[in-house]
Amino acid sequence: VLIPGLGAVATTLIAGVESIRKGFSKPVGSLTQMGNIRLGKRTDNRYPLVKDFVPLAELDDIVFGGWDVYEDNVYQAASNAKVLEPSVLEKVKSELEAIKPFKAVFDSNYVKNLDGKHIKEETNKWDLAEAVIKDIETFKIENNLERIVIVWCASTEKYIETSDVHQ
């Protein structure tokens, strides 16, 4: 799972998964991990867990990475966000410290409230796109992955009217 924007939301997700993997937490609120699906009629009383019925990746098979405008590793970012208790983060500190962000694509014309310096330096949008593609390929190869899922957690851009370039 690659995540653009390794801030409060992303680091909470990652810390939660790491805590579940280590047995410190339960996946409360996770439909795929704790939810049931009904098969047949209600009177059939068949309610297997979603994770036992649908062919999903196991939590132990998931690898996290991402991009951010700040170079903090996921432990530092989670600590700065102050969403989780320090005692929770300490239990998964080594796993979180190992996740370091790729440099982000960033243009202050689109996001006014950030000033991060951990950004790609390519000169045009095409080269920036190529750099992101290379990051994805590198992550996939280095982690021996079959597929990549990208979950957007970065700041929302400002609204832009569509124009010819969007066609």
Side-chain angles (χ1 to χ4, degrees), residues 18-35:
E18 295 297 344
S19 184
I20 292 163
R21 288 179 184 175
K22 289 184 121 182
F24 299 131
S25 302
K26 293 191 181 279
V28 174
S30 173
L31 174 66
T32 63
Q33 299 301 301
M34 296 186 81

Side-chain angles (χ1 to χ4, degrees), residues 78-135:
S79 297
N80 291 339
K82 296 183 174 147
V83 175
L84 297 170
E85 293 293 326
S87 61
V88 172
L89 292 176
E90 288 303 313
K91 293 177 181 176
V92 292
K93 182 177 181 178
S94 62
E95 291 82 1
L96 300 182
E97 284 180 328
I99 305 169
K100 297 173 177 76
F102 290 111
K103 287 184 175 183
V105 172
F106 180 73
D107 184 337
S108 61
N109 292 314
Y110 298 96
V111 181
K112 301 287 186 193
N113 296 328
L114 294 177
D115 62 357
K117 305 295 182 214
H118 190 65
I119 59 175
K120 296 189 181 304
E121 297 178 11
E122 283 69 11
T123 57
N124 61 56
K125 302 279 193 262
W126 181 261
D127 290 343
L128 287 166
E130 292 277 327
V132 170
I133 290 167
K134 184 177 180 191
D135 291 344

Side-chain angles (χ1 to χ4, degrees), residues 46-101:
R46 294 190 307 157
Y47 297 92
L49 289 170
V50 171
K51 70 178 186 170
D52 294 338
F53 185 73
V54 179
L56 300 170
E58 297 291 328
L59 291 183
D60 287 336
D61 295 334
I62 296 174
V63 179
F64 290 100
W67 298 265
D68 204 89
V69 297
Y70 304 109
E71 62 183 316
D72 295 346
N73 64 49
V74 169
Y75 175 78
Q76 293 166 319
S79 297
N80 291 339
K82 296 183 174 147
V83 175
L84 297 170
E85 293 293 326
S87 61
V88 172
L89 292 176
E90 288 303 313
K91 293 177 181 176
V92 292
K93 182 177 181 178
S94 62
E95 291 82 1
L96 300 182
E97 284 180 328
I99 305 169
K100 297 173 177 76

